Amino acid sequence: MQPADLIDMFAEFGPVTIRRMFGGHGIYHQGRIIALHAFDEVWLKADGETAPHFAAAGSRQWVYEGKGKPAMMPYWSIPDAALDDPAELADWARLADAASRRAEISRKVRPSRRPS
């Protein structure tokens, strides 16, 4: 999938920018990553609040083998029903955007680890 295809895919959601990463692409909205295109699939960002919604819709979590055990990534496949429905995909993208916003906020309020 080319960057222009990814931009078209998210058009109903809103403007996205595409950056190369991990041999694929990062998909950003307002400077925050909301999805990845990797391994010929688009993966939407999720967190503890939104992951249950993805699981209930039959999505798969991105998992890879890391240091002898599975590493669970905070990205989920797009539910099948949303693949051919731009409005439904936009709804899922909004969940991904909300997860990305929460992650950004938690990084900003995390206490410093530097000694005083």
Side-chain angles (χ1 to χ4, degrees):
M1 191 172 285
Q2 297 299 313
D5 299 322
L6 296 168
I7 290 169
D8 289 345
M9 182 179 204
F10 285 89
E12 181 94 10
F13 164 71
V16 296
T17 55
I18 310 300
R19 297 183 199 157
R20 290 202 51 71
M21 63 180 351
F22 307 124
H25 301 93
I27 302 163
Y28 292 79
H29 177 67
Q30 298 179 343
R32 287 180 311 280
I33 191 160
I34 62 163
L36 295 173
H37 172 245
F39 312 108
D40 296 322
E41 193 162 359
V42 175
W43 303 86
L44 296 171
K45 187 166 184 69
D47 61 7
E49 188 173 321
T50 57
H53 298 284
F54 283 94
S59 295
R60 295 172 281 95
Q61 187 172 11
W62 179 12
V63 179
Y64 71 92
E65 193 65 29
K67 297 184 182 181
K69 62 180 182 176
M72 311 293 276
M73 299 299 291
Y75 293 91
W76 289 71
S77 62
I78 295 173
D80 288 341
L83 290 173
D84 295 320
D85 184 340
E88 187 166 343
L89 176 59
D91 290 341
W92 289 102
R94 281 189 271 285
L95 288 178
D97 184 51
S100 186
R101 286 176 189 271
R102 283 189 293 275
E104 181 179 64
I105 290 167
S106 73
R107 281 192 303 276
K108 287 180 180 177
V109 298
R110 203 177 291 162
S112 173
R113 294 185 185 193
R114 286 183 264 152
S116 308

